[in-house]
Amino acid sequence: MSLQDIKSMTLAQMKDVFSQMGQPGFRALQVYRWLHRGVTSFDEMSDLSKPLRQALLERFYIASARVVRKQVSQLDETAKYLLALRDGECVECVLMKYHHGYSICISSQVGCKMGCTFCATGKSGFSRNLTASEILSQVQTVQMEQGVRISNIVLMGMGEPLDNYSNVLRFLELVSSPEGLNIGMRHISLSTCGIVDKIYDLADRKLQLTLSVSLHAPNDEIRGRTMPINKKWNVEQLLEACHYYAKVTNRRISFEYAMISGINDTDACAYELASRLHGILSHVNLIPVNDVTGNNYRRSSGDRLKRFVRILESKGITATVRRTLGSDIDASCGQLRRRMQEEEVQV
Ligand code: SAH
Ligand code: SF4
């Protein structure tokens, strides 16, 4: 029998399994608490009897994420990690320090299927989905390695979270559980390239998380050139889903917009974007595009960014230019793993 992933289980599921094993419910709670404190072996669960630890070992494994590489920015305290999973696959995550505390950007898949032309992860292809426990392990490992408490999570690392929907939903349930890390949904953001059917589903669940949508273009002509997903769901269908999400949850949607010189950063683009977002509870986050090896995209100038913001605001759309943390350490996710692949580094 193959070992089961115990850390992806909810407390209720664990109680069921424990009762089948003839164990009382409070034992399940003990184990759940240990797992969510980040232990990586049953032997560390010092208040369990040896036979019980042995029985657990025969039935389950504990997912973990091991630090393979860490880079710390000289400019700010941003730390970028490459973490190895049980099967040797690697994912990236980034810890950022803000005035209100620590925020972590985590991955949801090893690679990504979506193939956006500006994205390092997209260029590396897709390997596999992460389990809920692997997504959680990123938070735990970094928290323990840094000795800090992380208060905010953004699902904006490698992968498309809504393409690994059930595992991501489970992760959200685990990480927000009072017996676990207890990080509230209001402190969690999820970024998607626009998987429209899942946006509707997420809206109907009425979680209090923040939805970020990677829009990056005001129309199908430009978006279609950079984001293949636009062929499945176009800008109009995506914005309709966003409108629904904002209406049902009463939460402002954050639209991500990577400014690429000469492609999506003209005045005409700003006016078109403003008119399309009209009536949607939204905020636009402009990001100077990060140069990714081989894509020939140049970031827009500071003046261009400022003018774009001014046009949006003149039309009643709030917009900010995202502060780029860790720009000296390739802090946008996907870049470190890609470099490792290029160097063919053994981990
Ligand atoms: N798959 C999800 C989340 C991961 S990507 C999504 O696409 O939203 C996280 C964010 O980084 C997205 O907004 C994505 O569009 C952006 N991004 C990817 N490559 C980038 C680059 N080279 N420069 C700036 N932003 C980039
Ligand atoms: Fe995937 Fe997001 Fe990168 Fe697009 S931007 S390839 S959806 S990770």
Side-chain angles (χ1 to χ4, degrees), residues 108-109 111-123 156-161 191-195 214 216 226-229 333:
S108 56
Q109 296 178 316
C112 183
K113 293 179 210 152
M114 302 298 145
C116 305
T117 57
F118 45 78
C119 174
T121 306
K123 281 181 184 293
M156 230 191 223
M158 292 164 58
E160 168 49 52
S191 178
T192 178
C193 66
I195 311 287
S214 299
H216 301 317
T226 51
M227 301 183 73
I229 191 68
C333 275

Short mmCIF file of all heavy atoms in Angstrom, two decimals, residues 108-109 111-123 156-161 191-195 214 216 226-229 333, ligand 2:
data_model
loop_
_atom_site.label_atom_id
_atom_site.label_comp_id
_atom_site.label_asym_id
_atom_site.label_seq_id
_atom_site.Cartn_x
_atom_site.Cartn_y
_atom_site.Cartn_z
N SER A 108 2.12 27.18 -6.76
CA SER A 108 1.02 26.21 -6.71
C SER A 108 1.25 25.01 -7.63
O SER A 108 0.56 24.01 -7.52
CB SER A 108 -0.30 26.90 -7.10
OG SER A 108 -0.17 27.51 -8.36
N GLN A 109 2.21 25.13 -8.55
CA GLN A 109 2.53 24.02 -9.45
C GLN A 109 4.03 24.03 -9.71
O GLN A 109 4.69 25.05 -9.51
CB GLN A 109 1.83 24.22 -10.82
CG GLN A 109 0.31 24.18 -10.76
CD GLN A 109 -0.32 24.43 -12.13
OE1 GLN A 109 0.09 25.31 -12.87
NE2 GLN A 109 -1.33 23.62 -12.46
N GLY A 111 6.21 24.40 -12.47
CA GLY A 111 6.04 24.87 -13.85
C GLY A 111 4.62 25.37 -14.06
O GLY A 111 3.87 25.59 -13.10
N CYS A 112 4.24 25.52 -15.31
CA CYS A 112 2.90 26.03 -15.63
C CYS A 112 2.57 25.68 -17.07
O CYS A 112 3.45 25.65 -17.92
CB CYS A 112 2.87 27.55 -15.45
SG CYS A 112 1.23 28.26 -15.72
N LYS A 113 1.27 25.39 -17.34
CA LYS A 113 0.87 25.01 -18.70
C LYS A 113 0.49 26.20 -19.56
O LYS A 113 0.21 26.04 -20.73
CB LYS A 113 -0.38 24.12 -18.62
CG LYS A 113 -0.19 22.78 -17.99
CD LYS A 113 -1.54 22.05 -17.99
CE LYS A 113 -1.63 21.12 -16.81
NZ LYS A 113 -3.01 20.88 -16.35
N MET A 114 0.38 27.38 -18.93
CA MET A 114 -0.31 28.48 -19.60
C MET A 114 0.51 29.20 -20.67
O MET A 114 -0.05 29.89 -21.51
CB MET A 114 -0.83 29.48 -18.55
CG MET A 114 -1.78 28.86 -17.55
SD MET A 114 -3.26 28.20 -18.38
CE MET A 114 -3.61 26.76 -17.38
N GLY A 115 1.82 29.10 -20.57
CA GLY A 115 2.68 29.58 -21.66
C GLY A 115 2.68 31.08 -21.96
O GLY A 115 2.87 31.47 -23.12
N CYS A 116 2.47 31.94 -20.96
CA CYS A 116 2.52 33.38 -21.21
C CYS A 116 3.94 33.75 -21.68
O CYS A 116 4.92 33.27 -21.10
CB CYS A 116 2.17 34.17 -19.95
SG CYS A 116 0.57 33.69 -19.27
N THR A 117 4.01 34.56 -22.71
CA THR A 117 5.31 34.76 -23.37
C THR A 117 6.32 35.56 -22.54
O THR A 117 7.51 35.48 -22.78
CB THR A 117 5.13 35.50 -24.71
OG1 THR A 117 4.45 36.73 -24.44
CG2 THR A 117 4.34 34.66 -25.70
N PHE A 118 5.82 36.33 -21.57
CA PHE A 118 6.72 37.18 -20.77
C PHE A 118 7.21 36.46 -19.51
O PHE A 118 7.98 37.02 -18.74
CB PHE A 118 6.00 38.47 -20.36
CG PHE A 118 4.61 38.23 -19.85
CD1 PHE A 118 4.39 37.77 -18.56
CD2 PHE A 118 3.51 38.41 -20.68
CE1 PHE A 118 3.12 37.50 -18.10
CE2 PHE A 118 2.21 38.15 -20.23
CZ PHE A 118 2.03 37.69 -18.94
N CYS A 119 6.76 35.23 -19.29
CA CYS A 119 6.94 34.61 -17.97
C CYS A 119 7.97 33.48 -17.98
O CYS A 119 7.92 32.58 -18.83
CB CYS A 119 5.58 34.06 -17.51
SG CYS A 119 5.70 33.13 -15.98
N ALA A 120 8.90 33.54 -17.03
CA ALA A 120 9.96 32.53 -16.94
C ALA A 120 9.37 31.15 -16.63
O ALA A 120 9.81 30.14 -17.17
CB ALA A 120 10.96 32.92 -15.85
N THR A 121 8.35 31.11 -15.76
CA THR A 121 7.74 29.82 -15.43
C THR A 121 7.08 29.22 -16.67
O THR A 121 7.21 28.03 -16.95
CB THR A 121 6.68 29.98 -14.31
OG1 THR A 121 7.27 30.62 -13.21
CG2 THR A 121 6.12 28.64 -13.90
N GLY A 122 6.37 30.07 -17.40
CA GLY A 122 5.69 29.62 -18.61
C GLY A 122 6.67 29.01 -19.60
O GLY A 122 6.35 28.05 -20.30
N LYS A 123 7.86 29.57 -19.65
CA LYS A 123 8.87 29.08 -20.61
C LYS A 123 9.43 27.72 -20.22
O LYS A 123 9.95 26.99 -21.05
CB LYS A 123 10.02 30.08 -20.70
CG LYS A 123 9.69 31.28 -21.58
CD LYS A 123 10.88 32.21 -21.65
CE LYS A 123 10.56 33.45 -22.45
NZ LYS A 123 10.34 33.18 -23.87
N MET A 156 1.22 33.65 -5.92
CA MET A 156 1.65 34.38 -7.11
C MET A 156 3.01 33.90 -7.57
O MET A 156 3.72 34.59 -8.29
CB MET A 156 1.73 35.86 -6.76
CG MET A 156 1.02 36.75 -7.72
SD MET A 156 1.44 38.44 -7.43
CE MET A 156 -0.15 39.18 -7.57
N GLY A 157 3.40 32.72 -7.09
CA GLY A 157 4.69 32.16 -7.50
C GLY A 157 4.52 31.35 -8.77
O GLY A 157 3.72 31.69 -9.64
N MET A 158 5.24 30.25 -8.84
CA MET A 158 5.15 29.43 -10.04
C MET A 158 3.78 28.75 -10.13
O MET A 158 3.24 28.29 -9.14
CB MET A 158 6.22 28.33 -9.99
CG MET A 158 7.63 28.87 -10.10
SD MET A 158 8.82 27.65 -9.58
CE MET A 158 8.45 26.33 -10.67
N GLY A 159 3.28 28.71 -11.35
CA GLY A 159 2.07 27.93 -11.58
C GLY A 159 0.80 28.76 -11.60
O GLY A 159 0.77 29.92 -11.20
N GLU A 160 -0.26 28.13 -12.09
CA GLU A 160 -1.57 28.77 -12.17
C GLU A 160 -2.47 28.12 -11.11
O GLU A 160 -2.90 26.97 -11.27
CB GLU A 160 -2.13 28.59 -13.59
CG GLU A 160 -3.59 28.96 -13.75
CD GLU A 160 -3.96 30.31 -13.18
OE1 GLU A 160 -3.32 31.32 -13.48
OE2 GLU A 160 -4.93 30.36 -12.38
N PRO A 161 -2.74 28.85 -10.01
CA PRO A 161 -3.48 28.22 -8.91
C PRO A 161 -4.85 27.66 -9.30
O PRO A 161 -5.26 26.62 -8.79
CB PRO A 161 -3.62 29.34 -7.88
CG PRO A 161 -2.95 30.54 -8.41
CD PRO A 161 -2.31 30.21 -9.71
N SER A 191 -3.57 34.85 -7.37
CA SER A 191 -3.42 35.48 -8.69
C SER A 191 -3.69 34.47 -9.80
O SER A 191 -3.19 33.35 -9.78
CB SER A 191 -2.00 36.03 -8.82
OG SER A 191 -1.81 36.60 -10.09
N THR A 192 -4.50 34.88 -10.76
CA THR A 192 -4.82 33.97 -11.87
C THR A 192 -4.67 34.67 -13.21
O THR A 192 -4.89 35.89 -13.32
CB THR A 192 -6.27 33.42 -11.74
OG1 THR A 192 -6.54 32.59 -12.88
CG2 THR A 192 -7.30 34.53 -11.69
N CYS A 193 -4.34 33.86 -14.23
CA CYS A 193 -4.24 34.42 -15.58
C CYS A 193 -5.62 34.51 -16.22
O CYS A 193 -5.76 35.00 -17.33
CB CYS A 193 -3.31 33.54 -16.42
SG CYS A 193 -3.97 31.90 -16.71
N GLY A 194 -6.66 33.99 -15.51
CA GLY A 194 -8.01 34.13 -16.03
C GLY A 194 -8.67 32.82 -16.43
O GLY A 194 -9.10 32.64 -17.56
N ILE A 195 -8.76 31.89 -15.47
CA ILE A 195 -9.47 30.63 -15.70
C ILE A 195 -10.93 30.91 -15.30
O ILE A 195 -11.31 30.82 -14.13
CB ILE A 195 -8.88 29.49 -14.83
CG1 ILE A 195 -7.34 29.44 -14.94
CG2 ILE A 195 -9.52 28.15 -15.15
CD1 ILE A 195 -6.79 28.89 -16.23
N SER A 214 -4.34 38.62 -13.71
CA SER A 214 -3.26 39.06 -14.60
C SER A 214 -3.88 39.43 -15.94
O SER A 214 -4.15 38.56 -16.76
CB SER A 214 -2.25 37.93 -14.78
OG SER A 214 -1.70 37.60 -13.54
N HIS A 216 -2.91 42.41 -18.11
CA HIS A 216 -1.74 42.73 -18.95
C HIS A 216 -2.06 43.32 -20.32
O HIS A 216 -1.12 43.60 -21.08
CB HIS A 216 -0.83 41.52 -19.14
CG HIS A 216 -0.30 40.94 -17.86
ND1 HIS A 216 0.17 41.71 -16.82
CD2 HIS A 216 -0.18 39.66 -17.43
CE1 HIS A 216 0.57 40.93 -15.84
NE2 HIS A 216 0.36 39.69 -16.16
N THR A 226 0.28 37.67 -26.10
CA THR A 226 1.16 37.34 -24.97
C THR A 226 0.61 36.24 -24.06
O THR A 226 1.38 35.58 -23.37
CB THR A 226 1.41 38.61 -24.10
OG1 THR A 226 0.15 39.18 -23.77
CG2 THR A 226 2.29 39.61 -24.82
N MET A 227 -0.71 36.05 -24.05
CA MET A 227 -1.31 35.09 -23.12
C MET A 227 -2.22 34.11 -23.86
O MET A 227 -3.38 34.43 -24.18
CB MET A 227 -2.10 35.83 -22.03
CG MET A 227 -1.22 36.79 -21.22
SD MET A 227 -2.12 37.60 -19.89
CE MET A 227 -2.32 36.27 -18.70
N PRO A 228 -1.74 32.89 -24.10
CA PRO A 228 -2.53 31.90 -24.85
C PRO A 228 -3.92 31.63 -24.23
O PRO A 228 -4.86 31.31 -24.97
CB PRO A 228 -1.66 30.64 -24.79
CG PRO A 228 -0.26 31.15 -24.60
CD PRO A 228 -0.38 32.41 -23.79
N ILE A 229 -4.07 31.79 -22.92
CA ILE A 229 -5.36 31.52 -22.27
C ILE A 229 -6.47 32.41 -22.85
O ILE A 229 -7.65 32.06 -22.80
CB ILE A 229 -5.25 31.71 -20.73
CG1 ILE A 229 -6.48 31.18 -19.98
CG2 ILE A 229 -5.05 33.16 -20.35
CD1 ILE A 229 -6.64 29.70 -20.00
N CYS A 333 9.12 35.01 -9.60
CA CYS A 333 9.18 33.56 -9.53
C CYS A 333 9.36 32.93 -10.90
O CYS A 333 8.91 33.44 -11.89
CB CYS A 333 7.92 33.03 -8.86
SG CYS A 333 8.10 33.05 -7.10
FE1 SF4 B 2 1.66 30.56 -15.81
FE2 SF4 B 2 1.10 32.84 -14.54
FE3 SF4 B 2 3.44 32.48 -15.83
FE4 SF4 B 2 1.24 32.76 -17.25
S1 SF4 B 2 2.14 34.30 -15.89
S2 SF4 B 2 2.83 31.23 -17.60
S3 SF4 B 2 -0.24 31.71 -15.95
S4 SF4 B 2 2.72 31.36 -14.04
#
